[in-house]
Amino acid sequence: MANPDTKMNVLLTAPDQASSSCWSCGAMRAAHFCSACGKVQPPSPANYFAFFGLPRKLNLDVAALEHGFYELSRKLHPDTHVQALPQEQEWSLEQSSLLNDAYRTLKDPIKRTEYLLRLEGVELEEQSKAATEKARGSGMVKKQVVPPDLLEEVFELNMQLEELRSQKKLGENDAALAEEISKQKSGLEAKFQSLSTELKNCWTEWDRLADDASEETRRKVRDQMVDLLNRRTYIRNLVRDVNEVLEN
């Protein structure tokens, strides 16, 4: 395993920022603060991967990412610059906010995948719980795209869930129906795990692509990840709905 300090040198020096000069002393600076005088530098436009000096890869070294996060946190935190100029304090606050957003996104493999796809110009279907609540509050109908291979199964399950809801409102308890729904839930959970495994394989395939890979090759992997993410999210939300009915 590589030395964490060696990894840290990469994390602190983003390729597109390291050649800039420090606003305070004029020395060649590191990405976020000057390596000569230690002054915090103004935030530069960069995606989250570049913020940490990392390539756009999906199988990241999370330990190195965490090490870099805590190192940067100590150097960029506003409390460290309370005696600095107001402008530098503002930059420190902005850099710390970007650092936290970048770290939260990249450390989570699903958020990392969704973020990379957005960088690639891909818009994912919105099927989150937040989107559900927003739609309910506005009176709008949230877009739900049922995966074609689940159409029949989902239709039947929704009918059963509606029947069970109605029974519970009347104070009735159909144990056989609840058991049948539980069995279907187990099947959905197995599909969810299978999709997660397929997604991991896509991460490896994406990371193998060279920068000069054809757009058709890149699009094929991107489209597969989008499909897996959407199906995975739909099944996760469906299982959540099933649990709500069974537990209420």
Side-chain angles (χ1 to χ4, degrees), residues 6 15 44 54 98 137 158 196:
T6 301
S44 300
L54 296 170
L98 285 170
N158 282 330
S196 297

Side-chain angles (χ1 to χ4, degrees), residues 60-122:
L60 290 185
D61 186 335
V62 179
L65 177 67
E66 183 174 332
H67 181 78
F69 170 72
Y70 287 116
E71 284 293 319
L72 285 171
S73 293
R74 285 192 289 270
K75 294 178 180 295
L76 296 174
H77 197 281
D79 290 348
T80 307
H81 303 280
V82 291
Q83 302 299 323
L85 295 172
Q87 182 64 78
E88 191 177 354
Q89 292 179 31
E90 183 179 339
W91 289 336
S92 172
L93 186 62
E94 292 176 14
Q95 292 268 30
S96 293
S97 178
L98 285 170
L99 173 67
N100 290 328
D101 290 343
Y103 178 66
R104 280 193 296 266
T105 299
L106 295 186
K107 75 173 180 177
D108 183 293
I110 300 301
K111 290 181 180 179
R112 184 193 314 149
T113 306
E114 293 172 341
Y115 180 70
L116 182 139
L117 288 170
R118 286 198 296 273
L119 292 178
E120 292 287 319
V122 177

Side-chain angles (χ1 to χ4, degrees), residues 125-127 142-148 150-151 230-231 233-235:
E125 294 166 4
E126 182 56 81
Q127 302 194 101
K142 185 190 69 169
K143 180 173 69 173
Q144 287 278 12
V145 181
V146 183
L150 292 176
L151 274 172
N230 286 332
R231 290 163 65 196
T233 300
Y234 184 86
I235 290 176

Side-chain angles (χ1 to χ4, degrees), residues 39-57:
K39 294 288 186 180
V40 173
Q41 301 298 303
S44 300
N47 65 65
Y48 291 163
F49 291 95
F51 189 91
F52 280 100
L54 296 170
R56 290 189 188 185
K57 300 293 185 182

